[in-house]
Amino acid sequence: MTLLIDAAPLVALADPDEPRREEILETLGGEPGALVIPAPTTAEIDYLLGQRFGRAARRAFLTDLAAGRFTVAGLDPDDYTMIVGLEARCEGLDLGLADCALVVLADRYRTDRILTFDERHFRTVAQLSGEPFTVLPADG
């Protein structure tokens, strides 16, 4: 089954003192399916790694992308239409493009599994089918 990945857990991996580091590594290492990052999230990860940990961390992430460790999922115009509707329905949450992309791509990949620290959003927002998300590593 596919695992969708939000920015914070991958950024956290660059911090050797991150308390959830082992949980994240276990989740990623034990995943039998594809590891998918929305294209907008890759830019967010690149920026945050550079700001917090410098060029070497950014380069390591780019190397992982080039090696095919993750699948980067782009969005098409229909996806953006769904994102606009989702953002409007969830106006009070201020989801933003990256979180909305995770919801839309969950539908495309037929998965309910998201690796994220953002329990506030992903415990509140349901899949497009109306079902709740499995939030990892918390639900692991």
Side-chain angles (χ1 to χ4, degrees), residues 6-135:
D6 200 3
L10 288 186
V11 173
L13 285 178
D15 183 354
D17 297 323
E18 168 59 48
R20 296 170 285 189
R21 195 167 197 277
E22 285 307 312
E23 277 183 293
I24 299 163
L25 288 170
E26 284 177 24
T27 301
L28 292 171
E31 180 56 42
L35 302 173
V36 178
I37 305 172
T41 304
T42 61
E44 183 180 7
I45 293 166
D46 177 72
Y47 173 79
L48 291 171
L49 286 170
Q51 289 296 304
R52 295 182 187 174
F53 302 105
R55 285 188 197 136
R58 286 182 52 234
R59 238 178 310 199
F61 174 62
L62 293 172
T63 299
D64 281 345
L65 293 177
R69 173 144 170 69
F70 305 101
T71 299
V72 177
L75 300 171
D76 61 35
D78 289 338
D79 295 330
Y80 286 106
T81 300
M82 286 191 283
I83 286 169
V84 168
L86 183 60
E87 181 74 18
R89 280 195 316 274
C90 301
E91 190 172 327
L93 285 176
D94 194 28
L95 290 174
L97 176 60
D99 286 351
C100 288
L102 286 165
V103 174
V104 169
L105 290 172
D107 188 64
R108 179 190 300 171
Y109 284 91
R110 293 183 171 93
T111 187
D112 68 345
R113 303 169 71 245
I114 297 178
L115 178 64
T116 184
F117 295 158
D118 189 356
E119 291 190 59
R120 178 180 164 270
H121 284 159
F122 291 101
R123 298 277 186 220
T124 304
V125 174
Q127 299 175 62
L128 296 180
S129 68
E131 295 296 315
F133 283 104
T134 299
V135 178

